[in-house]
Each structure stands twice: as C-alpha cells, then as structure tokens.
Amino acid sequence: MTGEQPFIAAVKPLVDAMGGTMVPPDEAGPEDVVLAWEGADVVAVRLPQLADSLDHILAAMERREGRPLSDLDRRAKQEVVRILEARGAFAVRHGVETVAGALGVSRFTVYNYLNREKGS
C-alpha cells in the first residue's frame, strides 16, 4: 500500500493533461484503464470523450498562454493550430469549428493555417 500514493501522484499530471479522471479500481467500468503497481490494481483512469478532450486541451493552452487564444497574434494562432493538428484535434467531429471559435477566427482561416503548414 505504501507505493500506491506515490504512483498515483506520479500519474496524476498525465491524467489531468488528458482530461481524464481517476477512480478506485473496483469502480472501473469496461472503458476505463486500470493501472497496476507491483502486481496490485492501484487506480483506474476514466478517459474523456474525444470532443471533451479537445475542449480540455484548448483550456489548458489558454491557461499556459495566460489569456484567451483569441487574443493571440496570427503567428501564435498558427502555432496553436499546428500543435492541435499534431495532437489529432481535427479528427474530432466539429474540431475545426471548435478551434475556430476558440481562436476567434473563421473555419476558412483554420483551413488556411492547416494548408499553409502542409505546404511548408
């Protein structure tokens, strides 16, 4: 039991970054991921739905920037789009619309940023 709390503390930043939640292993559902340490189930991770995950990623990016993403300059917005594309944000249904709304730009602008990245 002594190793459980440090293990949970070690994985918590990753779970938080993904927008997941931690639940006791005996409460794990079929879609949860049970993590074991030294042969014993320690914690289960409940992963978010993809759309919720995108909202979580956008909120984390805003916190990191210290201001709304819509306040960023064009170059910074292009970088946000590049990062989000690398993380698979545009595979999510309505991903372009969600990102466009967060950046305060049109869907067309997001597509331009994506095409510009592919053209370089």
Side-chain angles (χ1 to χ4, degrees), residues 24-68:
D26 58 340
E27 294 178 19
E31 301 299 317
D32 297 334
V33 178
V34 178
L35 302 177
W37 181 255
E38 297 180 347
D41 292 344
V42 177
V43 68
V45 178
R46 186 159 294 151
L47 300 172
Q49 297 297 311
L50 284 176
D52 296 337
S53 199
L54 178 55
D55 290 337
H56 185 81
I57 291 167
L58 288 166
M61 292 180 99
E62 273 196 353
R63 283 191 304 275
R64 190 182 71 213
E65 292 292 333
R67 58 187 166 153

Side-chain angles (χ1 to χ4, degrees), residues 96-113:
V96 171
E97 292 86 350
T98 301
V99 171
L103 293 176
V105 299
S106 68
R107 288 184 0 230
F108 181 75
T109 299
V110 172
Y111 284 119
N112 279 341
Y113 291 169

Side-chain angles (χ1 to χ4, degrees), residues 5 19 21 28 30 32 39 46 49 51 53 58 62 64-65 73 75 77 81-82 84 90 92 97 104 108 114 118:
Q5 292 305 335
T21 54
D32 297 334
R46 186 159 294 151
Q49 297 297 311
S53 199
L58 288 166
E62 273 196 353
R64 190 182 71 213
E65 292 292 333
D73 64 26
R75 181 170 287 193
K77 288 178 182 182
V81 168
R82 187 193 66 71
L84 291 171
F90 301 109
V92 175
E97 292 86 350
F108 181 75
L114 288 166
K118 289 180 173 119

